[in-house]
Amino acid sequence: FHFLPFFTSYLSGNKLRYFPKGIFKGLKQLLILEILENEMTQVTIDNFKEIKQLKILYMQYNKMREIPYGFFDMLKDIQRVSLDTNLMCCHMHKEDADCAFTYNDDFANCESMFKNSAPRKSIWVIGVFSLVGAAFVITWRVIFKEKNVVQSIMLLHLAVSDGLMGIYLISLGTKDLLWRGEYYLHDFQWRSGLSCQIIGAISLLSSEVSVMMMTLISADRLKNIVFPYQGASLKPKATHILCIIIWAIGFLMAFLPMFGIQYFEDPFRYHSYYGRSVVCLPLQLTSDKPAGWEYSVAIFLALNFAFFLFIMGAYLMILVKSYLSSRRLARQGTEREIQARRANFRRETALARRVFFIILSDCVCWMPVIVIGMRTIIEKSYEAQGDLAVWIAVFALPINSALNPILYTLSTEQVRGILKNKMEKVWNYLKTVFTCCGRDQEGQGDGEQPNQPGVEDNGQHGGEEGKS
């Protein structure tokens, strides 16, 4: 191109991977440059030093996901630019220039990982609740030994998986705080880097271990309540083995995309399997089919839907069994049976409430992901509306981790009874302390009042003696 009086240069569709040094030397009059549909992975400021008069630049449909900081500062006359993502347009600070983009990020904008403040706050709230709830359950299960050792072991593992979700959410919130105001400068490195892959794998590990553990808990309760005489019940040793197997499967599912398998690599998008969104979750929420989308559908759609159906069916069978047992008991007429019927009715009511909230939380958690995932497969042009994808990622999916400590531990009669007893002791102790403090203050007040007249009397006697 050297020394040619070009005003427009069309370099589209040439499979260019980079610009050779000095390619635009002598083209100071170049006004329009098109480099569409190439394989460019990066551009440098040095490439454009010779064409500072450029007014129009089209370079979308490449493999670039970032451009150098200050790239457009030297292009003082630029008027129109087209890039691949809206975050790349954040480098354009010229107010009278227009920047078009092909792909709009549903989550992030130039300043923050989240366009709206509500998802940002939700991450911290659910993250803290998940972490604190998990710590409480683990501490409780270690200190207070329950008769049902098998259930306690399962709930301990469930709490650990829920705690991992809290770590994932708090890590996201911390990154958002660190990059607030300039997120666009870190987007590419974040989504293509190791940190995003690790916390994405932690999220998937937490989610899948949690749902598998809830399935195991449901199966154990189903066996002991509905089929108590069919087969042997789980023993602590067998329970530990099953939990270890669940963790092993979860680790394999979560970290498999990080093993460098070609199937999970997407060179056109130039980010990792977990980096398809800023929250590092490979959810299938659009009709787009990136690398590894079948794997995401198999996990988040097929597998979790099967687990959800089993959990819902198991608890419904438990409710039916409890209801039928109550009816059989109601036909008994002795005083002992009447008392047993009343106690059983209370247990049944409490069980019904817990089952309702367990199924409701599972619906809130998984049904949006399942329904939208199905629509993305069936409808080729489907796109999640508004911030729906954001809320599914930061609220719907992690909400189970925040609710599990309540549903499986705090809602039980044994835990509530112990907590009530402890709270009553604390309350009585505080009442005693405040009562004693009040009495001491009254005693001090009563002791000070007689002294004052005594002082006055002494003064009066002293005065009389002086007169005499």
Side-chain angles (χ1 to χ4, degrees):
F1 302 129
H2 294 181
F3 308 112
L4 295 177
F6 286 171
F7 293 96
T8 303
S9 180
Y10 300 99
L11 301 176
S12 301
N14 288 305
K15 298 183 179 180
L16 295 175
R17 296 184 178 181
Y18 63 93
F19 284 139
K21 187 176 181 180
I23 185 174
F24 298 119
K25 187 176 181 180
L27 299 180
K28 295 183 178 181
Q29 296 181 345
L30 187 64
L31 301 179
I32 302 174
L33 175 62
E34 290 190 8
I35 51 174
L36 307 171
E37 298 178 349
N38 283 289
E39 299 179 5
M40 304 283 295
T41 58
Q42 64 177 353
V43 292
T44 65
I45 294 177
D46 291 337
N47 294 144
F48 287 76
K49 280 185 176 179
E50 299 291 334
I51 50 175
K52 295 181 180 180
Q53 305 299 322
L54 197 67
K55 294 183 180 296
I56 299 176
L57 174 62
Y58 298 122
M59 57 178 184
Q60 70 262 42
Y61 303 114
N62 279 279
K63 294 182 180 180
M64 287 182 293
R65 284 297 177 267
E66 68 170 350
I67 53 179
Y69 180 73
F71 177 78
F72 291 109
D73 293 345
M74 64 179 177
L75 301 177
K76 304 295 184 182
D77 298 327
I78 196 72
Q79 297 177 358
R80 187 183 305 165
V81 177
S82 65
L83 301 169
D84 280 324
T85 72
N86 62 317
L87 296 181
M88 294 173 70
C89 283
C90 297
H91 291 268
M92 174 75 75
H93 302 300
K94 199 166 180 286
E95 294 183 357
D96 59 345
D98 177 55
C99 185
F101 48 86
T102 305
Y103 171 75
N104 182 40
D105 196 292
D106 293 328
F107 293 81
N109 58 15
C110 298
E111 290 78 23
S112 174
M113 293 176 71
F114 303 99
K115 298 176 182 178
N116 300 323
S117 61
R120 187 183 306 123
K121 295 175 182 177
S122 175
I123 275 185
W124 283 103
V125 171
I126 298 178
V128 170
F129 265 92
S130 300
L131 204 56
V132 172
F136 170 80
V137 173
I138 293 171
T139 305
W140 183 275
R141 299 288 170 185
V142 171
I143 295 176
F144 298 98
K145 304 298 182 181
E146 294 188 0
K147 294 181 180 179
N148 193 339
V149 179
V150 170
Q151 286 281 314
S152 183
I153 293 171
M154 295 178 188
L155 292 174
L156 190 63
H157 284 273
L158 179 63
V160 174
S161 67
D162 293 336
L164 290 177
M165 182 61 74
I167 293 173
Y168 158 76
L169 292 173
I170 292 174
S171 299
L172 277 183
T174 303
K175 289 294 185 181
D176 179 60
L177 283 177
L178 291 175
W179 296 332
R180 187 76 54 81
E182 55 176 27
Y183 172 72
Y184 71 98
L185 297 176
H186 307 276
D187 177 72
F188 175 75
Q189 295 297 332
W190 164 243
R191 294 171 62 178
S192 60
L194 183 62
S195 298
C196 182
Q197 296 186 61
I198 291 175
I199 72 163
I202 289 175
S203 173
L204 181 58
L205 173 65
S206 169
S207 175
E208 294 311 305
V209 169
S210 179
V211 72
M212 286 190 285
M213 208 63 68
M214 287 190 291
T215 304
L216 182 61
I217 292 171
S218 305
D220 180 66
R221 290 181 175 178
L222 181 67
K223 161 67 180 66
N224 293 332
I225 296 175
V226 181
F227 308 106
Y229 305 112
Q230 297 183 12
S233 299
L234 278 176
K235 302 298 181 183
K237 183 177 180 180
T239 305
H240 280 299
I241 293 174
L242 286 175
C243 291
I244 292 172
I245 292 174
I246 287 176
W247 279 104
I249 295 173
F251 267 101
L252 181 62
M253 292 168 60
F255 289 93
L256 183 64
M258 297 175 59
F259 291 163
I261 301 174
Q262 185 67 31
Y263 168 75
F264 294 103
E265 296 181 2
D266 194 347
F268 182 77
R269 292 188 176 277
Y270 217 67
H271 58 62
S272 64
Y273 171 74
Y274 286 106
R276 64 175 66 176
S277 69
V278 300
V279 294
C280 306
L281 274 179
L283 297 174
Q284 186 63 28
L285 300 177
T286 67
S287 57
D288 194 15
K289 301 296 188 297
W293 71 272
E294 299 95 340
Y295 187 74
S296 299
V297 168
I299 293 177
F300 291 104
L301 202 63
L303 185 62
N304 289 345
F305 186 52
F307 285 142
F308 168 73
L309 289 178
F310 178 84
I311 293 171
M312 184 172 65
Y315 280 111
L316 289 177
M317 291 177 68
I318 290 172
L319 278 180
V320 171
K321 176 69 174 182
S322 178
Y323 173 74
L324 294 177
S325 299
S326 296
R327 291 197 61 181
R328 284 198 303 270
L329 189 61
R331 289 194 289 266
Q332 306 296 328
T334 64
E335 184 66 25
R336 180 181 298 177
E337 295 297 339
I338 292 174
Q339 293 177 358
R341 183 169 66 248
R342 290 174 180 173
N344 190 68
F345 177 77
R346 289 193 296 268
R347 287 195 299 269
E348 182 181 337
T349 303
L351 176 63
R353 285 197 300 266
R354 290 178 61 197
V355 168
F356 170 76
F357 284 110
I358 288 172
I359 295 176
L360 179 63
S361 67
D362 289 338
C363 285
V364 171
C365 178
W366 293 114
M367 288 312 294
V369 179
I370 293 169
V371 171
I372 293 179
M374 288 181 175
R375 291 192 65 179
T376 60
I377 297 174
I378 298 173
E379 302 177 22
K380 295 183 178 180
S381 60
Y382 176 77
E383 296 289 339
Q385 299 297 320
D387 293 335
L388 183 60
V390 180
W391 281 108
I392 288 175
V394 303
F395 180 79
L397 197 61
I399 191 64
N400 251 2
S401 298
L403 294 178
N404 282 339
I406 299 174
L407 296 174
Y408 288 94
T409 299
L410 290 174
S411 63
T412 60
E413 291 184 6
Q414 180 183 3
V415 175
R416 290 205 311 269
I418 295 175
L419 286 177
K420 183 179 179 181
N421 185 33
K422 297 293 183 183
M423 293 300 293
E424 287 178 352
K425 289 182 178 180
V426 172
W427 175 248
N428 291 332
Y429 173 76
L430 292 176
K431 285 174 63 178
T432 304
V433 171
F434 285 120
T435 302
C436 292
C437 291
R439 289 176 180 174
D440 291 341
Q441 291 178 357
E442 291 177 1
Q444 291 177 1
D446 294 340
E448 291 174 355
Q449 290 177 0
N451 291 335
Q452 293 176 355
V455 172
E456 293 176 357
D457 292 340
N458 291 336
Q460 291 175 358
H461 290 305
E464 292 175 356
E465 291 176 0
K467 290 178 182 179
S468 61

